[in-house]
Amino acid sequence: MRVVLGVAGGIAAYKACTLLRLLTEGGHDVTVVPTASALHFVGEATWSALSGKKVHTDVWSDITEVPHVRIGQQADLVVVAPATADLLARAATGQADDLLTTVLLTARCPVVMAPAMHTEMWDHPATQANVATLSERGVHVVPPASGRLTGSDTGPGRLPEPEELYAVCERELASVAGSATPRQAPRGDLTGRRVVVSAGGTREPLDPVRFLGNRSSGKQGHALAEAAARRGASVVLVSSSSLPAPAGVEVVPVETALELGDAVTAAARDADVVVMAAAVADFRPAVYAGHKIKKSHGTGPDGAEDDSAPVVELVRNPDVLAGLVAARGDARSPVIVGFAAETGDESGSVLDHGRAKLARKGCDLLVVNEVGTGVTFGQDSSTVHILRRGSSGVTDVGPAPKSVVADAVWDAVIALL
Ligand code: CTP
């Protein structure tokens, strides 16, 4: 198939040579479009020799072939690796000031971008906003890996290994090949799959005006549902959040853990994947007072007003995730994904608690996120670690927009489908 490999000006451009090799060995016809800055790192001769084709470097050459329009129009996939902070900014604002950005504007096929830069540049709100914009538009943003950067510093910002990027490209190309209208379908690697996502924090009512709740906003669950729909899945979102329904998603509104459990269990019966992103309350008040509990509640034995604080008795809610795992038994479907909001404490780190929870819950993937006041809850970005059952490996994502975290979770799910 026809692949455009865009290369922006970062040191990781050398890794794109291996990606190019993998793509050509995979039988694809690859057109390399390096930016002017990329040519400072790897020259035109290298791209030309490895692709076996003429390399287009600017809009002013071969004008009669109209390369700035034709290359993008004819592509089955555009992959940009590395995508620098500058390239992400130009793509997010729709600029068309060089050949690669014009290709990005004319392409109607899936687009994969692999950002690579220093951690400070990746963390900057401007870069995060650009990544969120691109990902909401359907670009598959592969989050950068953590590790050694150009100098002696380390952190998130490394270009993922070429083999990993090649696997993402092949999956996108497979979805194009399987789609009836490939040039219209932004991404379709979940086409034909039925998925259920739960989102938000449950509210456990004490009386008509009060409830026990938690800080979950539902943003991550809604981002997961939106990403799944964009990737072709039919999606049921069981949500206790007041966020708007994502396009193309069936929303089942719920409030309490019991309602959420019933809705998820019913929808899970014919699902391929269930993602429990909701923050389900473990306990609910044992008694629901049908009227507002007053500050002074009744009179004591001596006839005086009882001004003591009421004691609220709690009872356990069922564990919905554990119920899904038990109902599945030895079957392999549905794939079940849990979330674990952890803070870490003296008995273990966030990851230690995550590994123990994965073993305890028996789900296939556990997305561990670091939480606390002002961290993750209600924010537009988060840091997560994706753990797999039966594997000691971990995929670190973020800090990244929740839309990017969502795509990384679906990438991990698809590997299990
Ligand atoms: N979960 C659930 N039902 C519950 C509680 C949690 O389905 N009653 C799910 C959540 O949706 C999440 C996962 O279980 O996917 C982990 O939730 P968490 O609150 O982190 O785990 P708990 O089992 O409640 O463990 P603890 O509070 O002791 O950390």
Side-chain angles (χ1 to χ4, degrees):
M1 295 181 91
R2 276 173 298 215
V3 178
V4 174
L5 172 60
V7 186
I11 182 67
Y14 79 91
K15 284 191 184 175
C17 298
T18 309
L19 176 60
L20 171 56
R21 221 290 96 107
L22 292 167
L23 286 164
T24 52
E25 282 170 3
H28 302 297
D29 170 0
V30 189
T31 301
V32 185
V33 181
T35 62
S37 310
L39 293 171
H40 287 292
F41 293 97
V42 179
E44 188 174 340
T46 304
W47 300 121
S48 184
L50 288 176
S51 66
K53 286 178 71 165
K54 179 175 170 44
V55 169
H56 298 266
T57 53
D58 72 275
V59 274
W60 304 114
S61 311
D62 308 310
I63 294 286
T64 50
E65 293 174 27
V66 208
H68 72 290
V69 176
R70 187 183 46 80
I71 296 174
Q73 279 179 339
Q74 294 180 348
D76 295 305
L77 174 75
V78 178
V79 50
V80 184
T84 55
D86 174 66
L87 189 280
L88 293 170
R90 289 189 292 130
T93 49
Q95 291 186 43
D97 51 358
D98 65 4
L99 188 58
L100 182 52
T101 46
T102 57
V103 166
L104 288 167
L105 283 181
T106 50
R108 292 294 174 272
C109 57
V111 175
V112 173
M113 288 198 186
M117 63 202 73
H118 269 81
T119 305
E120 291 81 355
M121 296 173 88
W122 171 249
D123 283 346
H124 195 284
T127 305
Q128 293 292 305
N130 291 331
V131 168
T133 301
L134 291 165
S135 130
E136 275 150 27
R137 269 183 214 148
V139 172
H140 186 158
V141 180
V142 183
S146 285
R148 178 95 189 262
L149 302 170
T150 322
S152 56
D153 44 347
T154 58
R158 269 170 70 93
L159 188 73
E161 292 312 309
E163 290 73 15
E164 207 179 306
L165 296 177
Y166 174 63
V168 172
C169 292
E170 281 298 349
R171 278 206 300 274
E172 291 291 352
L173 286 164
S175 74
V176 169
S179 164
T181 51
R183 288 182 193 284
Q184 303 307 319
R187 304 179 64 181
D189 50 6
L190 284 170
T191 300
R193 302 291 185 177
R194 285 162 302 192
V195 312
V196 180
V197 177
S198 70
T202 61
R203 292 176 167 198
E204 310 299 322
L206 275 161
D207 69 15
V209 294
R210 302 185 180 91
F211 59 84
L212 298 181
N214 60 65
R215 292 182 188 277
S216 171
S217 65
K219 283 185 179 175
Q220 185 61 73
H222 278 240
L224 280 156
E226 186 174 346
R230 182 179 5 99
R231 293 170 76 154
S234 106
V235 187
V236 175
L237 174 62
V238 178
S239 177
S240 59
S241 162
S242 55
L243 289 171
V249 168
E250 178 191 339
V251 178
V252 181
V254 292
E255 187 171 312
T256 65
L258 292 178
E259 287 168 8
L260 184 140
D262 288 347
V264 168
T265 309
R269 280 193 198 106
D270 59 355
D272 299 300
V273 187
V274 183
V275 181
M276 285 294 297
V280 187
D282 290 322
F283 307 99
R284 68 179 183 279
V287 177
Y288 171 73
H291 52 82
K292 185 182 174 197
I293 301 167
K294 305 298 282 180
K295 206 169 357 198
S296 297
H297 42 109
T299 48
D302 55 357
E305 277 283 300
D306 184 354
D307 283 339
S308 65
V311 175
V312 177
E313 192 191 336
L314 301 177
V315 290
R316 284 284 288 263
N317 276 325
D319 188 321
V320 183
L321 182 65
L324 292 169
V325 171
R328 178 178 69 170
D330 293 332
R332 292 187 57 198
S333 181
V335 169
I336 300 174
V337 183
F339 266 68
E342 301 291 348
T343 57
D345 55 26
E346 62 289 340
S347 69
S349 67
V350 165
L351 266 186
D352 294 336
H353 286 301
R355 288 215 166 85
K357 194 168 281 183
L358 177 61
R360 206 164 63 236
K361 298 262 184 180
C363 48
D364 302 295
L365 296 173
L366 191 77
V367 183
V368 184
N369 57 357
E370 298 176 20
V371 295
T373 312
V375 184
T376 293
F377 287 127
Q379 304 289 306
D380 292 323
S381 71
S382 71
T383 299
V384 307
H385 312 282
I386 304 175
L387 307 179
R388 288 163 195 76
R389 187 157 55 103
S391 158
S392 57
V394 48
T395 303
D396 301 316
V397 186
K402 288 183 175 173
S403 52
V404 173
V405 171
D407 273 323
V409 171
W410 289 119
D411 287 346
V413 167
I414 286 167
L416 301 179
L417 283 170

